[in-house]
Amino acid sequence: MEARPGKCPTAAQLRRVREATQQQLGLNLDPMLVMRKGALPKTTSGKVRRRECRHRFFNGTLGTPVAVEGVVPGFAKDGNCIDATTAEPPASFPELLAAFGVEDMTKSLAENGVDSLRLTQLMTQAQALFDVKISPLAATYVPAAMLEHAGTGPSMPLPATVLRSSVAWRALRQPPKLSGQSKPRSHSPPTFETSAASTSKSSSSPSPPPSGATAPTNPGSDTAPTSRTSCCSRQVWLQALGCCMTLVLACLCTAPAAWVYVELQDAIIRSSTVPTDPWVTTFDGGPGLALMAAPLTWMFAFTAVVIVAKWGLIGRYKAGSHAAASGFYLRWWFVDRLMAMWETFVGVHLLGTPWLNVVYKGLGCPQVPWSAHLNRFIREVDLFHAGHHSSVSGPVHCRTVTSVGLLMQPVYVHPHAQVEEFQVVYPGQVVRHNPAADNTMDAGGLVQSEDRNSVQRAIAPFVALLSVALGVWVGSWASVAVLGIDNDATTARLVACFFTMALTTACGSIVACRVTRLSFLVDHTFALAMGFLGFWVDYTPLPTFVCRAMGANVSITTQVNKCMGVVVPSTAYLVTAGPNTFLTSSHLRPKPGRPIHIERGALVGTSAVVQPGVHIGKGAAVGALAVVRAGTHVGQDTVCVGSIPTNLDGSAANDDGVGGESKAELGTADGSGIVDTQGAQIPVMFSSRAAQSGTRVSGCTMLRTLGFHLLLRALLQWLPAVGGFLLALRVARSLEAATSHVPLGVQVPIVACAVLVVAASVLVLMYMLAIRAASPCGSLVSSNGRPLATFGVTSPRVAAAGVTACNSWMIGRYVQPFIGGSWVYNAVWAAAGCTFASIFDTVLLDTLGVGDLPLIHLGHRVVLDGCMVTGHRMERGALSVYSTHIGSDCLVQDAYVMGGERLGSGVSLLGKSKIFGFEPVRATSCGEWATLVGVPACPARLQPREEEVASSSRSRRSRLQAAVSWRSQSARGMGSPPVHTSASTRSQRWWRHLSESSRQRSRGGPDNVRPATVEEVVVSVRV
């Protein structure tokens, strides 16, 4: 018989059962064995397999019983009588997994062969013995070693603005009222969250629209078309027109740039005091420094165009929802493309500087002070509020895009709060300040360095301009003195200056980081240079030598994918990596006095963040998107997977117990959902001998590989790119000669438009040819978790994959801003080999497919927003190729979908998230909201209704008291109005909420909470 854990019968009870059976039935049960729950073999229907039990008993393979009554015959396992006190339940969770046949802890339970019956038994025993809750989804794809941590509770809660089945999206899910229909079609009612605002409406909420219908917008927005055919046709033509208009607007800005350059050049020539060399020409024919006025004027002009277009087409963004077929959605998409172009060509020079805050002010941002540090771009700036000395390094979203439409909500970042690069802020959230971080900054003397960095941030764009001017002058000199190019060969000298400028800027940054302590200036200038040079050297062994030049102590056999982002020049000397380590596209962030040490054979996955003071042992592995917190020691042959642990106040817990690495607490604004960080997954480390089985490469082999990489790059990338550049120049000269009779303001935009079209066509053609030639497996489909192919790091296929990765990076950086989010960009992906169910209902916004498009399969109505999709992964020092599937109605935002992963229909993968394993992830196993978040990705949830009501009422009360406090101060001539008291209607709404709260308190309702303190009122006034 079997017994549940903790309910094993005693010897006296077994003796009474034996005696009663003998008296009533005449049967002598000798011996009686009590086994652990799940130890007896059973059929799929749950019946005991008696013949198999008899066979195992006589062979001694039945297992160790937990209790025995009688004498065990000699043919048992050890031939002796087994005492009940000698058999004990498993002492740890890994022992329990081993008892159920789990051998490889790096694989999921499904991959270890645990069937549904044994899984049910394992789930019961795990919860009874160790209080570990294992969900069917976790058993499908979470590694067995992570189940003890990933399954112990709910995952990170999310606001209703990103949960597509919530009440916030109700207006977009209403079925349209077609002509000839008096009532909408009946469907099964959807499931909504249990919030105070939705309880009264969920019973009467409309059902989702049928698959062939288009959802209308909410009241106040544009009316959506009633026919799906006319809607699709209209949207196709409007998106094509929008793509052309983005190109036209960018080219029109070249007219004032050309006029300024011509006028400045004529003024210098006419002037007798200004020398012609180096302002007009350098070294007898090279481009002069006055040429810098042209791109500067274009940047100013394009910035003005973006601001005017935003205010003219949109006005001020407001919180609300809009259907995908509405006119507002199309206008938003067009402005979003203009913002993407501005970020690529202009904003990149202002990123992290206070001048970016000035531009956002012009775009309508209500509150972004000079002291706020914005290291990430924000699109809908009207809904963004930043406090003094706040810092944003992670993605901040004021909108959520799905297949049914667009939803916008404001985002608030409190003064001194920080959004780390591994955090994601969703619409409607509030990032609060952690006061415990102030003491840490003051004690470490970081306040003075922060003041110094503020000065560097203010002058960074001017230093970058000076570096570019110096690079032009050095490039012109090198073209004459070093390359020996004739003075008449203007095209050759222009190409030489173009490359030498970026190379000189990068080398100057590397030299400056060794002789100065201007960290931000050095890192900012280096990033601008590598933004261009990365196309030529990334995904080759060259980034390793660039890291060595920056001062990093890395071996030449270390694999680094990118020159920019893995290490930065200001802290590169604090990074040490042993031979045969794989740093891929990770982020190593040491600090003075807290270096990062990585031993031989270790692997740091894609976008993994390694914080200061981390030591990674020999043969260890850090998973993709993992966050290794400060001071962590990852032992030898250990795998570290997961996100950073956070306290209830939002701060990360260091080894000394002081929170100081993650200084933000996530909440929500205006009751749109309460979000905390207590559900963030803990990084899990478990031993794995497979972690050290990577390929070992010698220095000579790596040098030979470098030579082959350079040769392949020259044939497949460098020569075609230079040829395309020369073709664009030839087209420009031909058009210039053909349009010489037209005014300059018309001629220059025409030439610029033709050059951009030719350059983009060459890039796309290079991409398609390289991906067709280098794709190792075509469009095959992998199954059962087996790779289609596996290549070593020195394989020619890996070099070819690097070429396609660089080409896809160039497409995503310079072509996608013009056409992203439209069917035109989907057609480019389809031409490169990606499999679409339909290119007209798929949305690809700021999404990168790294060189594996023939292996990517997308269903209907898929939305990929700011994510990366690949068909490969690094496994044990080799590149394994899989097929990747994303089902219909899926939403992937800021997440990574890597080779072999499969998302079922209707699944949402949000935030810095990643799934594990190769089993399909179905929406029915993803919780109530069919949404996954975290590393490993677990089902998302909402805050309980009571906490949400209390928090929202506290927020309303604190805003009201802040308004009353300001009124009393303004009557005495003191203070300034808070953010929420700018309109009289809001004040009336506050008084109404106060009266409702008073009535509920008199009835003992949920709003009976403490009043706001003086400190909360002061903080509200400041914000």
Side-chain angles (χ1 to χ4, degrees):
M1 68 184 71
E2 293 182 345
R4 298 179 181 274
K7 298 183 179 181
C8 181
T10 61
Q13 292 174 341
L14 291 177
R15 192 178 301 110
R16 287 197 299 268
V17 171
R18 180 183 178 184
E19 293 174 356
T21 305
Q22 187 175 11
Q23 293 176 0
Q24 298 180 12
L25 301 178
L27 299 177
N28 184 16
L29 302 181
D30 187 14
M32 292 178 62
L33 278 67
V34 180
M35 312 297 295
R36 289 192 303 269
K37 184 69 176 178
L40 297 181
K42 295 183 177 63
T43 62
T44 55
S45 60
K47 300 178 181 178
V48 178
R49 299 168 58 187
R50 296 182 176 85
R51 186 172 300 178
E52 180 65 20
C53 289
R54 180 177 180 274
H55 176 74
R56 293 186 182 183
F57 177 78
F58 286 107
N59 289 340
T61 60
L62 187 59
T64 303
V66 296
V68 176
E69 172 61 22
V71 179
V72 181
F75 48 75
K77 187 173 183 179
D78 53 2
N80 299 320
C81 179
I82 302 177
D83 188 12
T85 59
T86 60
E88 298 181 356
S92 62
F93 184 71
E95 292 183 6
L96 178 64
L97 294 180
F100 279 84
V102 179
E103 299 179 354
D104 191 349
M105 301 293 287
T106 63
K107 295 182 179 180
S108 65
L109 297 181
E111 293 173 335
N112 275 281
V114 179
D115 55 20
S116 59
L117 177 61
R118 288 192 296 164
L119 175 60
T120 304
Q121 299 171 354
L122 176 60
M123 293 168 62
T124 303
Q125 294 194 24
Q127 185 171 2
L129 293 176
F130 307 104
D131 196 22
V132 175
K133 300 178 182 178
I134 304 176
S135 64
L137 176 66
T140 302
Y141 76 91
V142 175
M146 301 184 63
L147 290 175
E148 188 174 3
H149 304 274
T152 53
S155 64
M156 183 184 300
L158 295 178
T161 54
V162 293
L163 300 176
R164 293 181 290 176
S165 57
S166 64
V167 173
W169 293 87
R170 182 177 64 245
L172 299 180
R173 298 195 312 272
Q174 293 177 352
K177 188 175 181 180
L178 303 179
S179 57
Q181 294 182 353
S182 58
K183 297 182 180 180
R185 302 176 183 178
S186 59
H187 296 276
S188 58
T191 304
F192 300 120
E193 75 271 27
T194 57
S195 62
S198 63
T199 351
S200 60
K201 300 180 181 180
S202 58
S203 58
S204 60
S205 299
S207 57
S211 58
T214 305
T217 60
N218 60 327
S221 60
D222 300 306
T223 304
T226 57
S227 172
R228 182 173 178 85
T229 305
S230 61
C231 162
C232 182
S233 176
R234 172 176 173 263
Q235 193 165 3
V236 165
W237 286 106
L238 288 178
Q239 284 186 348
L241 179 62
C243 294
C244 296
M245 286 301 300
T246 56
L247 179 64
V248 170
L249 290 179
C251 294
L252 286 177
C253 296
T254 59
W259 179 82
V260 169
Y261 173 64
V262 170
E263 293 296 327
L264 180 60
Q265 189 177 25
D266 292 342
I268 293 175
I269 294 175
R270 291 193 303 266
S271 176
S272 58
T273 58
V274 180
T276 305
D277 193 350
W279 297 105
V280 178
T281 59
T282 54
F283 298 99
D284 298 330
L289 298 182
L291 183 63
M292 300 299 301
L296 285 178
T297 306
W298 183 89
M299 292 180 184
F300 280 106
F302 190 68
T303 302
V305 166
V306 172
I307 294 176
V308 171
K310 185 262 178 185
W311 286 107
L313 295 177
I314 300 294
R316 185 177 293 277
Y317 285 112
K318 299 180 181 179
S321 58
H322 307 272
S326 63
F328 181 88
Y329 180 89
L330 293 174
R331 297 197 303 271
W332 164 84
W333 168 80
F334 180 75
V335 174
D336 186 75
R337 290 304 89 203
L338 291 180
M339 288 293 297
M341 293 167 55
W342 182 86
E343 294 169 0
T344 301
F345 301 105
V346 183
V348 66
H349 304 280
L350 307 178
L351 192 62
T353 69
W355 305 107
L356 180 63
N357 305 3
V358 175
V359 176
Y360 281 168
K361 273 289 188 181
L363 286 169
C365 185
Q367 185 176 9
V368 53
W370 180 271
S371 58
H373 297 165
L374 303 182
N375 301 316
R376 292 293 291 260
F377 292 114
I378 300 167
R379 296 285 172 85
E380 292 74 21
V381 294
D382 304 85
L383 303 173
F384 177 73
H385 303 75
H388 291 279
H389 302 286
S390 58
S391 176
V392 176
S393 299
V396 175
H397 299 287
C398 299
R399 47 85 174 150
T400 301
V401 183
T402 66
S403 58
V404 297
L406 171 74
L407 187 142
M408 297 182 179
Q409 286 292 331
V411 171
Y412 299 89
V413 181
H414 280 200
H416 299 278
Q418 293 191 11
V419 180
E420 302 292 345
E421 59 182 332
F422 51 83
Q423 294 176 327
V424 179
V425 181
Y426 300 99
Q429 287 188 333
V430 176
V431 183
R432 298 186 178 91
H433 169 53
N434 178 23
D438 294 339
N439 299 330
T440 306
M441 291 183 61
D442 295 337
L446 298 180
V447 177
Q448 292 79 5
S449 62
E450 182 64 25
D451 295 338
R452 185 167 59 250
N453 283 336
S454 298
V455 177
Q456 297 181 39
R457 291 174 183 271
I459 65 175
F462 307 101
V463 174
L465 177 63
L466 181 61
S467 302
V468 171
L470 181 61
V472 171
W473 187 83
V474 173
S476 182
W477 169 82
S479 64
V480 175
V482 179
L483 301 179
I485 301 176
D486 296 335
N487 296 337
D488 297 335
T490 308
T491 301
R493 294 191 65 173
L494 186 60
V495 173
C497 290
F498 196 59
F499 286 95
T500 311
M501 175 188 64
L503 187 61
T504 303
T505 305
C507 294
S509 302
I510 293 175
V511 173
C513 74
R514 296 189 174 226
V515 298
T516 65
R517 298 185 61 184
L518 303 176
S519 57
F520 181 81
L521 282 177
V522 170
D523 297 341
H524 182 77
T525 307
F526 180 80
L528 293 179
M530 283 302 160
F532 169 74
L533 291 179
F535 170 66
W536 310 94
V537 299
D538 281 351
Y539 298 99
T540 67
L542 280 179
T544 303
F545 293 91
V546 174
C547 292
R548 290 173 61 89
M550 286 188 290
N553 185 16
V554 298
S555 171
I556 62 174
T557 58
T558 299
Q559 299 288 321
V560 182
N561 284 355
K562 295 184 177 181
C563 297
M564 182 179 63
V566 179
V567 296
V568 294
S570 61
T571 58
Y573 69 97
L574 298 171
V575 175
T576 301
N580 295 291
T581 54
F582 296 86
L583 304 183
T584 59
S585 301
S586 57
H587 305 286
L588 309 182
R589 297 296 179 260
K591 291 182 179 179
R594 309 184 71 182
I596 294 177
H597 184 78
I598 305 174
E599 295 186 6
R600 174 193 296 269
L603 167 66
V604 184
T606 301
S607 295
V609 178
V610 181
Q611 295 187 340
V614 172
H615 182 277
I616 301 178
K618 178 181 178 181
V622 177
L625 290 174
V627 180
V628 187
R629 61 174 179 170
T632 302
H633 176 79
V634 183
Q636 180 178 351
D637 303 331
T638 301
V639 179
C640 179
V641 185
S643 303
I644 191 168
T646 54
N647 298 326
L648 294 180
D649 62 350
S651 61
N654 297 331
D655 295 338
D656 55 0
V658 179
E661 295 300 326
S662 177
K663 307 178 181 62
E665 176 190 1
L666 297 183
T668 57
D670 301 331
S672 59
I674 305 304
V675 176
D676 53 37
T677 55
Q678 65 180 13
Q681 286 79 6
I682 299 177
V684 180
M685 292 183 288
F686 52 90
S687 178
S688 175
R689 298 293 299 176
Q692 65 170 358
S693 60
T695 306
R696 295 187 176 182
V697 182
S698 62
C700 296
T701 304
M702 186 57 63
L703 291 177
R704 290 196 301 268
T705 304
L706 174 61
F708 179 77
H709 271 270
L710 296 181
L711 178 61
L712 191 64
R713 283 293 178 94
L715 295 177
L716 296 181
Q717 188 180 41
W718 297 348
L719 292 179
V722 173
F725 185 80
L726 297 178
L727 176 62
L729 288 180
R730 181 176 293 273
V731 171
R733 290 183 176 180
S734 301
L735 281 178
E736 182 183 1
T739 58
S740 57
H741 59 282
V742 300
L744 182 66
V746 178
Q747 180 188 26
V748 173
I750 293 176
V751 174
C753 186
V755 168
L756 288 180
V757 171
V758 171
S761 302
V762 170
L763 278 178
V764 173
L765 185 61
M766 287 173 51
Y767 186 39
M768 294 170 55
L769 294 179
I771 207 170
R772 293 291 185 181
S775 180
C777 304
S779 57
L780 299 179
V781 178
S782 58
S783 59
N784 300 326
R786 298 178 181 177
L788 296 172
T790 301
F791 309 104
V793 293
T794 59
S795 171
R797 285 289 189 180
V798 175
V803 175
T804 58
C806 280
N807 288 337
S808 63
W809 181 82
M810 287 290 290
I811 294 292
R813 183 177 177 86
Y814 296 112
V815 178
Q816 183 177 220
F818 291 87
I819 60 178
S822 67
W823 65 268
V824 182
Y825 188 60
N826 302 345
V828 173
W829 272 40
C834 181
T835 303
F836 283 87
S838 174
I839 64 173
F840 298 106
D841 59 6
T842 302
V843 180
L844 305 179
L845 282 171
D846 305 321
T847 299
L848 183 63
V850 184
D852 303 312
L853 292 186
L855 301 172
I856 298 175
H857 304 264
L858 304 179
H860 286 282
R861 299 174 298 279
V862 174
V863 178
L864 306 181
D865 185 7
C867 60
M868 187 179 76
V869 184
T870 69
H872 67 270
R873 60 175 63 196
M874 185 67 68
E875 294 180 339
R876 302 177 184 181
L879 187 71
S880 300
V881 180
Y882 300 85
S883 61
T884 303
H885 298 260
I886 300 179
S888 300
D889 295 299
C890 282
L891 169 63
V892 183
Q893 184 181 41
D894 291 320
Y896 279 40
V897 182
M898 307 187 73
E901 297 173 357
R902 301 185 177 189
L903 291 179
S905 299
V907 176
S908 298
L909 186 63
L910 305 177
K912 298 286 185 179
S913 306
K914 184 185 179 302
I915 61 176
F916 289 83
F918 303 99
E919 296 293 331
V921 179
R922 307 186 185 280
T924 54
S925 61
C926 295
E928 179 184 3
W929 309 103
T931 301
L932 300 178
V933 64
V935 181
C938 296
R941 65 179 176 89
L942 282 177
Q943 195 85 356
R945 183 179 64 180
E946 292 78 11
E947 298 180 24
E948 181 177 354
V949 172
S951 179
S952 60
S953 60
R954 274 199 305 269
S955 176
R956 292 193 300 266
R957 185 174 297 105
S958 62
R959 290 200 302 267
L960 177 59
Q961 294 189 9
V964 174
S965 175
W966 169 70
R967 285 181 182 137
S968 61
Q969 292 179 3
S970 60
R972 298 191 301 266
M974 301 170 55
S976 57
V979 174
H980 298 285
T981 59
S982 58
S984 58
T985 55
R986 295 186 179 180
S987 300
Q988 297 172 3
R989 193 179 303 118
W990 295 334
W991 287 111
R992 185 168 61 253
H993 288 320
L994 179 61
S995 60
E996 292 176 358
S997 301
S998 301
R999 287 194 297 270
Q1000 290 186 3
R1001 284 198 304 270
S1002 62
R1003 306 189 196 105
D1007 281 340
N1008 190 12
V1009 297
R1010 64 170 180 84
T1013 61
V1014 177
E1015 290 79 9
E1016 291 178 345
V1017 174
V1018 173
V1019 170
S1020 300
V1021 173
R1022 288 179 59 188
V1023 174

